[in-house]
Each structure stands twice: as C-alpha cells, then as structure tokens.
Amino acid sequence: MTTPGSTVTAKVRKDRAAGFDVAKARQDFPILREKVQGKPLVYFDNAATSQKPQVVIDTVHEFLATYNSNIHRGVHQLSERGTEAYEQSRKKVQRFINAAESREVIFVRGTTEAINLVANSYGRQHIRAGDEIVISAMEHHSNIVPWQILCEQTGAVLRVVPISDAGEMLIDEYEKLLTPRTRLVAVVHVSNALGTINPVHEIIRLARRQGVPVLVDGAQAVPHLKVDVHELDCDFYAFSGHKVFGPTGIGVLYGKAELLEAMPPYQGGGDMIKSVSFEKTVYNDLPYKFEAGTPHIAGVIGLGAAIDYVNGVGLDRIATYEHGLLEYATEALSAIPSVRIIGTAEEKASLISFVLDGVHAHDVGTILNHDGVAIRAGHHCTMPLMQRFGVPATARASLAFYNTKEEIDVLVGAIHKAVEMFG
C-alpha cells in the first residue's frame, strides 16, 4: 500500500517491513485455522469486516464474564471498572488518530451513524436552501444518502466530483465545484470499491482556503494507513471498529471540539443530559452530549484492545507488507486475459475489484467459495460508481496484513477454474 504523496522507496519499504513475521501474525487470529468446503480458509473480504485477534476476543469475553455492568452512573466496583475501561478506550482512540482532546472522540455504532450524526446535527444547523454539499463519485452509500436526505429537507444541492477511468478524483473539477455556496465537503479517504487513496490533504487544503468544513469517511483507511486528524486538519473523521480488527457495532466520530460544542444533540435520552425537567433539559458536556442511552460498552473496550494490537504490529509495517501483497496480486490477476481490474489508481490500498468476462460477479464469488476463498461480490454499496464504470457488480478481493502470497495463488487458481467452467 502507498500513502498519499508518498515518495517511499523500495529500500525504505523493505526497512519498514523488517521484522514482520506473517506466520506469527496469523497465529493471533484463530479463525484463520478454520476450513471452508474442506479447504483452508482464504479470507479476502477484509473491506467488509476484518477478522479479530485473540486478544480482542479475550478482552470482550473478560468484560462480559468478570465485570459486565453499565457505566458512568454506578457507584459499585463493577461499574467503576467498566467506566474506567470504557474511558481508557476513548483515550486510546484519541492517541491513535492524534486528536487534541479525548472529548473530541464520540462513540457511535459505526461510520454510517457518524456521518448521519453530522448530517442531522451540523447539517440541519448550518445548511439552507441553495447551499451546496460536495461529495465524490466514489462514495459509499453511507456518504451519499445522508446528504441526499439533508438536501431533501433543506433545499440544498448535492454536487458530485467526477473521477477518471483509473478511479482517481479529478482535483481540477473538485476545485471548480468549490464556490461561495459550498457549505460542506464529505469525501472518502480510501474507496471501498476501488482501493483508491484520495489526496485528502489537498482536498482539505482547497476547502479550507474557502472556509469550507470537511468530513472524511475513513472506514477503509484506518486499518491500513496512519491517520493524523491534527495533521489533516479535517473537521470530522469517521471510522468503524470492525474494520480495524475490533468488534462490530462500534465506531468513532472525531470532530473538532469547537464544532461539536456548537452542535445540537443528535439523539435524546439518558447520559446525554445534566438535568431534565418538563420545562427544560440541560445537555451534558462533550462527548456525552452525543452518546445517548447505554452504549456498546463491550464493543468500546474491545476496540481499545484492537487499537493496542494494531499499534503493537505497527501501521508502517502493515502498510509496507500490504503494498507487497497488492503488487503481487495485481500482477497475478492482470495476467489472466479475461480479468479486467476496476480501479487502477496510482495511490491504492490493498484491494482489487475485478470483472471476469462473461461471468457475473456473484457466480465468481460462489465458485471461489468452493476453494475456500472468501471474497465480496456485488455493488459494494457504491451503485453510482458501478454505473460510472458500466458494470452491475464486481468481484472484490480485499487484503489484510495476515494474508499471504500463497493465498493469492489460491485465488488465482480458483479464478482459472471459473474461466474454464464458463469458457
């Protein structure tokens, strides 16, 4: 994998990868010892959800088995221990993305809820009829539909930045769309369907020049790239815990404190208030103002363990190793005449979408499953992007640092079987 604006040489990559033992890393993931269809599992569906290391499984189990409790309001030992673990996870997230303060970290269900929170709170407060929201043509539905709903409610207009045939955002066109009417830019960091790594530094810099706030959908970036929200200078950054080796049902919205302070609550209920009467409610301080009701406590604590684990492996080593896998897989799939890769950006994450001539993606996925290979087939919640490339669906192999070149060889062999079957 490469990073935006990277000038990393092969030697630097080799140095960064030094000491990475994929066989040892695989031992941390018990599911990788499973068999599917009687064959060793080859898991290439990491963009949908990643597998969980034993330490995350153990951490969640320990909470549920030894100190399961509700947090913040209890005065007994279990609740105090649960509260401490929950808030420690918030601090781990803060350090992981280099947020200035832990109160800038809001726990939500996932990236989708994080974006909906901003659309419903910041959006309804600041966006009016005739205003414009800028997104790109490669967005996940979760970064399209919330803004469409907001536009329907306010009379605002959604503007879409086009992309090239390689799947790269056309920055010149983006710059033209930034006008005095632009009120928000919402873009994906890494495309879940193409693997494109967008130049978010430049996207944010251009928006900032006109005083336009930027939300970044980081769901596919955080498991693979070092994310520094301070360096990016983004206003909001959203990601999901289950993509970064944590539990499902937990995610993070980062927001600059001054913006979050001024935003109204997204949901009402317990824990997000200081006092309630029938005449008036006084809302709680950040971050609790946006965390109504009992949160996913086990998920938050598990996410903290996942972040510790990723930090232990090292994102530099993960990125370097995955870059090698991507190069290997791209070369191997490109050598199959009937395979067409969708998304050939220069800066790309460890993900390959492809179509097989004369074979529907769902059939490809089914055939690969017979060899124990798990990929994703479909529109990947990016239907406008599929239309842009003139295909109904793609097959998608998304890699993680626990995958190997030998597994890619299995994938290639299974694709050859599909070619023979439908040839």
Side-chain angles (χ1 to χ4, degrees):
M1 174 180 294
T2 52
T3 56
S6 173
T7 56
V8 177
T9 65
K11 181 180 182 307
V12 171
R13 285 200 180 99
K14 185 177 180 181
D15 291 345
R16 285 180 178 176
F20 180 70
D21 184 343
V22 65
K24 182 173 182 299
R26 289 176 64 84
Q27 292 175 6
D28 296 332
F29 294 82
I31 201 169
L32 299 181
R33 296 191 285 274
E34 291 293 311
K35 292 191 174 181
V36 173
Q37 308 281 1
K39 298 173 182 175
L41 168 66
V42 175
Y43 189 77
F44 285 152
D45 198 16
N46 295 286
T49 194
S50 61
Q51 297 302 341
K52 317 308 171 195
Q54 188 66 53
V55 66
V56 169
I57 298 168
D58 290 345
T59 298
V60 172
H61 178 267
E62 181 186 18
F63 166 72
L64 295 174
T66 67
Y67 63 106
N68 177 52
S69 56
N70 211 332
I71 57 171
H72 291 152
R73 296 178 298 279
V75 295
H76 55 81
Q77 183 173 319
L78 293 187
S79 179
E80 289 176 352
R81 186 179 171 191
T83 300
E84 173 67 15
Y86 184 92
E87 294 302 334
Q88 281 300 318
S89 286
R90 196 188 306 276
K91 292 177 181 176
K92 291 176 183 178
V93 173
Q94 176 200 350
R95 292 190 291 270
F96 186 59
I97 61 174
N98 197 29
E101 307 173 65
S102 63
R103 68 192 183 115
E104 295 179 321
V105 174
I106 311 296
F107 287 124
V108 290
R109 287 184 298 164
T111 305
T112 297
E113 185 173 47
I115 296 171
N116 275 275
L117 191 162
V118 176
N120 280 276
S121 180
Y122 180 89
R124 290 191 181 188
Q125 188 178 43
H126 292 278
I127 294 174
R128 301 285 181 266
D131 291 344
E132 295 181 351
I133 301 166
V134 174
I135 63 174
S136 82
M138 68 177 82
E139 301 304 321
H140 189 284
H141 295 166
S142 64
N143 202 29
I144 299 174
V145 180
W147 307 118
Q148 287 178 326
I149 293 172
L150 182 63
C151 287
E152 290 170 0
Q153 294 170 336
T154 63
V157 178
L158 195 64
R159 305 299 299 271
V160 181
V161 185
I163 61 174
S164 69
D165 291 341
E168 295 172 322
M169 188 186 296
L170 299 177
I171 295 299
D172 289 347
E173 297 299 318
Y174 163 65
E175 197 167 359
K176 291 176 187 173
L177 290 178
L178 293 173
T179 73
R181 295 186 296 277
T182 308
R183 291 292 176 271
L184 184 78
V185 171
V187 293
V188 67
H189 194 163
V190 173
S191 165
N192 72 306
L194 304 175
T196 303
I197 301 174
N198 277 320
V200 287
H201 286 86
E202 180 67 1
I203 291 168
I204 294 167
R205 186 188 70 80
L206 291 171
R208 185 72 63 231
R209 199 167 60 181
Q210 299 199 30
V212 176
V214 179
L215 177 146
V216 180
D217 169 359
Q220 300 294 338
V222 167
H224 308 290
L225 303 172
K226 273 189 176 177
V227 171
D228 185 329
V229 295
H230 178 72
E231 182 186 356
L232 285 176
D233 195 26
C234 56
D235 298 277
F236 302 102
Y237 197 98
F239 68 93
S240 299
H242 72 102
K243 311 276 193 188
V244 66
F245 314 107
T248 54
I250 188 64
V252 169
L253 171 67
Y254 157 80
K256 287 183 175 176
E258 62 269 26
L259 293 176
L260 294 173
E261 287 280 14
M263 287 162 52
Y266 168 50
Q267 296 174 325
D271 225 23
M272 52 77 68
I273 55 88
K274 284 183 176 177
S275 67
V276 176
S277 70
F278 287 116
E279 289 73 33
K280 184 180 180 182
T281 292
V282 178
Y283 304 131
N284 209 339
D285 298 325
L286 292 176
Y288 312 111
K289 181 172 72 172
F290 294 107
E291 295 181 1
T294 297
H296 185 3
I297 304 167
V300 169
I301 295 171
L303 175 59
I307 287 173
D308 285 342
Y309 179 81
V310 170
N311 286 335
V313 177
L315 273 165
D316 276 348
R317 292 200 299 170
I318 288 174
T320 301
Y321 177 76
E322 290 181 349
H323 177 80
L325 283 183
L326 176 65
E327 286 187 331
Y328 186 83
T330 301
E331 183 176 349
L333 267 66
S334 298
I336 304 173
S338 50
V339 165
R340 178 164 63 100
I341 294 176
I342 306 293
T344 54
E346 187 175 341
E347 302 290 346
K348 197 173 165 186
S350 55
L351 181 157
I352 298 181
S353 272
F354 63 95
V355 293
L356 199 57
D357 289 346
V359 187
H360 193 280
H362 288 162
D363 292 328
V364 175
T366 301
I367 293 168
L368 266 55
N369 181 59
H370 287 301
D371 276 354
V373 180
I375 64 161
R376 178 73 37 162
H379 54 64
H380 316 298
C381 294
T382 57
M383 294 177 77
L385 184 63
M386 296 295 109
Q387 292 165 7
R388 164 63 180 80
F389 283 95
V391 295
T394 71
R396 182 187 70 187
S398 51
L399 317 178
F401 68 90
Y402 43 64
N403 290 128
T404 67
K405 291 181 179 178
E406 290 75 17
E407 290 182 316
I408 293 170
D409 292 340
V410 174
L411 168 70
V412 171
I415 293 173
H416 278 297
K417 288 182 182 178
V419 172
E420 292 173 7
M421 190 174 299
F422 286 89

